[in-house]
Amino acid sequence: MAERFATEVKNLSEEQAAAELAELAAEIARHDERYHAEDNPEISDAEYDALRRRNLAIEQRFPDLVREDSPSRRVGYVALDKFEKVTHPIPMLSLENAFNDDDVKAFAERIRRFLSLDANASLRLTAEPKIDGLSLSLRYENGRLVTAATRGDGTVGENVTENAKTIADIPNVLAGEDIPEIVEIRGEVYMGHSAFLSLNERMAAEGKPTYVNPRNTAAGSLRQLDSAITATRPLNFFAYAWGEMSAMPRTTQMGMVEWMQEAGFRINPLMKRFDDVDTLLEHYRAIEKTRPELEYDIDGVVYKVDDLALQERLGLKARVPRWAIAHKFAAEKAWTILHAIDIQVGRTGALSPVARLEPVTVGGVVVTNATLHNEDYIKGVGSKGEVLRDGKDIRVGDHVMIQRAGDVIPQILDVDLEKRPDNAKPFSFPETCPACGSHAVRDINLKTGKTDSVRRCTGGLVCPAQAVEQLKHFVSRGALDIDGLGDKQVEAFYESGRIADAADIFTIRERDARSLKRLKDVEGWGETSAAKLFDAIDARRNADFYRFLFGLGIRHVGEQTAKDLARHYGDVETFNNAMAALAANDSEAREDLIGVDGIGETVTQALTEFFAESRNVDVWQRLLQKADPKPVEQAASDSPVAGKTVVFTGSLERMTRDEAKAMAERLGAKVSGSVSGKTDLLVAGPGAGSKLKKASELGVDTVDEDGWFQLIGRD
Ligand code: IVH
């Protein structure tokens, strides 16, 4: 088969392409006939698939040559109303970033420490380009593609199977022997530069809006509801990772990627493996050098621990694996003019200065705004007193250098004093809130005695800007995620008095029914859209518990911490009892919470302050009268330690403490730092002291390290 397609599609002349398409049309039709009508195929599924993919690839390069009798016209493209949701059996992870060599060295050191590898033991890492596209998970059952899903929030994505089938790099059937029953291949969908340029030319010729960059185009193309449109967009796919696998065909990262190639995927040719960090970094520089010549966009190099057994031991922290990191390329920069500095008031009252800029293109994207961080940053003094930009302050009218890196908000790096207008004045940062007029102050950090770099409005929920931002947060994607209730609607509802706080959202339908100004009569709304919104709100009354916790907007409680809290307490009732105890300064409740992995002192303090404030408790209680957060299902319920609270103490010999914690959590256990009445199991290594004593006083089950491995069946 490889010989047969000796000429790569990109090297075919138009004439050759036309001839091959004619041949393929006849050949595929013959195989279809034998397969369907005669039930007597003469080639394997994988060979058949390769023919179809070749046909598709040629058609995508030469859209004008698509024949009337083309096999691609016969697949019957599907148009959908919307994409179904797909839950990933294994979440799709993100990567931690490294911005320089030191970050990479620290990454390797962290791994050595975690695994307690000694200094001269080699640590093998792979290095491969980080493709700037969008990730896709392909599920094969018995070798056949059954689902293609986008990443979504990492847990739930969208079902784009019909569209994925139009990508020539994605096999419908896996090639080779001994394919595991379940295979999930993950990788990046992207659009090559030449395809991007010709698509934009075509769009412009048809008078349609053009795309900004290949990444957005790839995303837009993959998320077309009509797969016939996706089929006209030449997308590519590199395979580099996996999700659920019923069996692992190889034991290393490199081995797995090579196996994917054997199974019929394209893999990135620049992927290599290294035994030391210095040569790894040389490869980074080599990739950076070839970057301008590549046919696709890349934004860094990803390093991964090669040995899969080590990957397993390293496990995850929050949403990123400990065994991988993305080394990003230096950010792109440009000079432009600063026209104005606006102050925005955030959910927690923080006053954030935003730079309004003369639009400028940086790395293919037009930038009009940049963050100025805080007032010290504008003055040229960092939060720790360090001098920034050689002490140059930033003034309206200045020529400024901006930097944009990946998805982060652009920032101002430098000022050209020679071009500063004569009348430019130092910026005077407001000391009152621009939204409500309350004092805006910089707190003093009690621990360090230092002045906070952020100035905050003291108006609390009296401040309309804070209230609105809090409401937007409550309905946002990571929190309640209410369809049809976006920033615009929240602002309008707040303005018109329809909602003042989060609890009001769940009574909006009943109040609307009694109201003189019904939502359906408001401009821009109608009977159907109003009913649809109310239904969407009703549908979220039982959303996951952590979404409510995250939505409350408690300081330091991000999405991951909300998940940790929800998992620790399980349901609202247990949580509320603990919070009441915490607000009443109960020391046991405090100790219990500080001990939860991922929580600690800062979060405990923030929760205490939040639940000691009666206005917050009032909103939360009113909310709970109308909503019923879904309790947490216990993870890995078949594990013998699922749902148990485990404490590790003493020195461990077969695993490091971090590793022990990560392993227990993977098995669905809660890991705590202190022994209490709630502890189910103490794992005590040699040298265990007070915790062991306390455990025996309380009658807590205790095992040694070997006992732990026996218990979890890993002996
Ligand atoms: S590995 C567990 N490898 O980068 C590891 N990701 O910032 C999962 N990406 O969502 C990712 N090229 O979309 C990996 N060679 C590569 C990649 C890559 C691009 C994307 C991917 C992921 C994001 C994380």
Side-chain angles (χ1 to χ4, degrees):
M1 192 68 56
E3 254 168 53
R4 151 121 205 234
F5 301 141
T7 315
E8 277 186 62
V9 173
K10 65 173 197 273
N11 298 330
L12 288 176
S13 68
E14 193 157 341
E15 219 167 293
Q16 285 171 316
E20 196 173 331
L21 286 178
E23 227 177 89
L24 285 164
E27 192 172 354
I28 293 170
R30 184 162 55 82
H31 292 307
D32 283 344
E33 175 75 14
R34 287 195 70 121
Y35 185 90
H36 294 291
E38 302 167 22
D39 209 8
N40 180 22
E42 74 188 51
I43 55 172
S44 72
D45 285 352
E47 284 166 318
Y48 174 80
D49 200 32
L51 294 176
R52 287 201 82 115
R53 285 200 279 151
R54 174 80 177 179
N55 187 71
L56 200 55
I58 301 176
E59 288 183 345
Q60 284 173 342
R61 193 170 155 227
F62 300 98
D64 294 341
L65 297 184
V66 177
R67 301 165 57 88
E68 274 304 307
D69 64 347
S70 163
S72 63
R73 297 202 166 191
R74 277 182 283 118
V75 266
Y77 293 118
V78 179
L80 307 167
D81 291 334
K82 63 174 189 149
F83 296 113
E84 300 286 320
K85 302 258 184 224
V86 182
T87 300
H88 301 295
I90 294 181
M92 291 183 79
L93 305 172
S94 321
L95 292 170
E96 199 182 330
N97 288 327
F99 296 102
N100 51 47
D101 291 5
D102 285 345
D103 290 350
V104 177
K105 288 177 187 157
F107 161 72
E109 275 318 302
R110 262 197 319 273
I111 292 178
R112 287 179 175 282
R113 228 175 305 126
F114 191 96
L115 298 171
S116 39
L117 292 183
D118 65 53
N120 39 25
S122 82
L123 174 67
R124 186 166 279 194
L125 297 172
T126 59
E128 68 200 280
K130 182 168 191 296
I131 316 297
D132 197 10
L134 60 150
S135 47
L136 186 68
S137 188
L138 304 166
R139 186 177 175 89
Y140 292 84
E141 287 175 8
N142 299 311
R144 283 181 182 277
L145 178 64
V146 288
T147 324
T150 61
R151 179 174 186 279
D153 64 2
T155 310
V156 179
E158 285 176 327
N159 186 335
V160 292
T161 312
E162 295 306 325
N163 293 346
K165 284 183 181 164
T166 71
I167 300 178
D169 291 343
I170 296 179
N172 283 316
V173 183
L174 298 180
E177 313 272 300
D178 298 330
I179 300 289
E181 192 182 324
I182 295 171
V183 170
E184 265 181 30
I185 300 293
R186 291 175 177 178
E188 205 80 354
V189 173
Y190 66 93
M191 185 176 278
H193 292 157
S194 51
F196 169 69
L197 292 176
S198 51
L199 174 67
N200 260 356
E201 273 169 25
R202 210 163 80 208
M203 301 287 274
E206 289 169 15
K208 292 187 186 147
T210 54
Y211 282 100
V212 195
N213 58 33
R215 196 196 113 85
N216 291 356
T217 321
S221 303
L222 189 67
R223 293 190 72 262
Q224 291 287 335
L225 287 167
D226 183 352
S227 64
I229 298 179
T230 311
T232 65
R233 309 281 175 86
L235 295 174
N236 288 100
F237 181 80
F238 276 130
Y240 55 65
W242 57 93
E244 188 178 351
M245 298 285 298
S246 56
M248 289 296 284
R250 300 286 188 275
T251 58
T252 61
Q253 181 74 34
M254 194 75 178
M256 281 298 289
V257 173
E258 283 163 357
W259 176 80
M260 291 179 199
Q261 185 174 36
E262 287 162 28
F265 290 95
R266 274 178 68 237
I267 63 169
N268 193 285
L270 298 170
M271 179 171 180
K272 282 196 173 147
R273 240 179 330 197
F274 300 91
D275 281 319
D276 66 290
V277 173
D278 290 335
T279 44
L280 180 85
L281 291 171
E282 273 169 33
H283 190 55
Y284 169 85
R285 279 180 258 287
I287 293 181
E288 192 176 30
K289 216 162 151 204
T290 56
R291 184 184 185 194
E293 283 129 50
L294 293 177
E295 234 294 286
Y296 44 88
D297 283 345
I298 63 174
D299 57 353
V301 176
V302 184
Y303 307 130
K304 298 172 187 169
V305 170
D306 191 40
D307 184 335
L308 300 186
L310 295 185
Q311 284 192 6
E312 165 95 19
R313 280 177 62 191
L314 285 157
L316 312 181
K317 57 175 180 198
R319 309 293 286 171
V320 298
R322 278 198 194 82
W323 45 264
I325 201 161
H327 189 176
K328 304 299 275 286
F329 294 132
E332 309 206 42
K333 302 184 175 79
W335 286 92
T336 189
I337 301 168
L338 172 63
H339 288 313
I341 297 178
D342 287 349
I343 303 290
Q344 286 180 347
V345 185
R347 177 165 62 82
T348 59
L351 266 45
S352 309
V354 180
R356 307 294 181 200
L357 306 163
E358 176 66 26
V360 59
T361 307
V362 195
V365 170
V366 179
V367 171
T368 47
N369 301 319
T371 174
L372 287 162
H373 303 288
N374 53 54
E375 63 187 285
D376 290 346
Y377 191 83
I378 300 176
K379 276 192 197 135
V381 188
S383 60
K384 296 183 194 90
E386 72 273 27
V387 175
L388 302 170
R389 302 177 299 269
D390 299 328
K392 292 182 256 181
D393 67 333
I394 298 172
R395 302 185 185 184
V396 171
D398 271 339
H399 282 251
V400 291
M401 183 166 89
I402 62 159
Q403 163 173 291
R404 180 187 150 263
D407 291 336
V408 300
I409 309 168
Q411 46 181 329
I412 291 182
L413 284 192
D414 201 3
V415 176
D416 187 344
L417 290 186
E418 290 191 1
K419 291 196 178 144
R420 174 168 282 175
D422 292 339
N423 59 357
K425 290 188 201 58
F427 182 70
S428 93
F429 204 92
E431 293 183 1
T432 53
C433 170
C436 71
S438 303
H439 281 300
V441 297
R442 294 176 65 169
D443 286 339
I444 304 211
N445 186 314
L446 292 179
K447 262 200 226 147
T448 60
K450 289 220 172 91
T451 307
D452 197 353
S453 56
V454 177
R455 192 175 281 279
R456 278 176 209 281
C457 160
T458 53
L461 291 182
V462 171
C463 173
Q466 285 189 52
V468 169
E469 290 308 312
Q470 167 52 31
L471 279 165
K472 287 181 189 168
H473 170 73
F474 186 73
V475 300
S476 69
R477 191 156 160 194
L480 268 288
D481 192 15
I482 298 176
D483 265 354
L485 197 50
D487 289 0
K488 250 186 21 219
Q489 291 79 4
V490 168
E491 277 166 18
F493 287 1
Y494 184 83
E495 194 119 314
S496 61
R498 231 169 257 279
I499 50 172
D501 58 38
D504 290 346
I505 291 175
F506 287 107
T507 55
I508 194 165
R509 173 177 250 155
E510 57 188 76
R511 285 183 293 112
D512 187 69
R514 292 183 259 121
S515 157
L516 291 177
K517 178 112 185 151
R518 304 285 303 270
L519 182 60
K520 68 180 170 63
D521 302 325
V522 173
E523 204 191 318
W525 293 87
E527 189 104 38
T528 324
S529 58
K532 213 167 144 192
L533 174 67
F534 298 150
D535 288 347
I537 293 174
D538 284 344
R540 302 304 282 154
R541 286 181 204 271
N542 303 101
D544 286 330
F545 181 25
Y546 85 85
R547 290 182 176 273
F548 285 87
L549 288 180
F550 176 51
L552 285 177
I554 303 165
R555 273 183 85 183
H556 306 293
V557 178
E559 196 172 343
Q560 185 59 42
T561 304
K563 285 183 181 168
D564 291 343
L565 285 167
R567 203 164 72 139
H568 182 69
Y569 291 111
D571 58 49
V572 174
E573 205 187 329
T574 317
F575 174 77
N576 283 350
N577 291 338
M579 291 306 113
L582 200 63
N585 282 322
D586 176 294
S587 60
E588 196 172 330
R590 194 179 154 76
E591 289 305 309
D592 175 60
L593 192 51
I594 290 178
V596 178
D597 198 30
I599 304 286
E601 195 110 22
T602 316
V603 174
T604 305
Q605 190 56 30
L607 284 164
T608 310
E609 282 167 16
F610 187 91
F611 285 97
E613 166 67 55
S614 62
R615 273 189 307 186
N616 294 334
V617 178
D618 170 59
V619 175
W620 180 227
Q621 290 300 345
R622 280 193 292 120
L623 191 61
L624 292 176
Q625 280 167 18
K626 301 289 171 185
D628 186 13
K630 190 164 116 209
V632 180
E633 280 168 31
Q634 290 304 337
S637 56
D638 51 349
S639 122
V641 293
K644 300 250 161 74
T645 301
V646 181
V647 176
F648 291 93
T649 188
S651 59
L652 302 173
E653 282 153 4
R654 293 172 59 182
M655 53 187 172
T656 63
R657 185 66 62 85
D658 284 343
E659 204 179 343
K661 249 189 194 173
M663 182 188 295
E665 280 172 357
R666 258 198 317 267
L667 294 165
K670 296 172 195 164
V671 178
S672 171
S674 56
V675 175
S676 73
K678 296 199 184 103
T679 312
D680 296 303
L681 179 69
L682 181 77
V683 182
S690 61
K691 286 183 195 165
L692 182 57
K693 191 159 160 261
K694 185 151 182 207
S696 67
E697 280 164 16
L698 293 170
V700 172
D701 283 346
T702 303
V703 292
D704 62 8
E705 202 178 356
D706 288 339
W708 163 257
F709 279 101
Q710 256 166 29
L711 180 67
I712 63 170
R714 295 262 182 96
D715 219 23

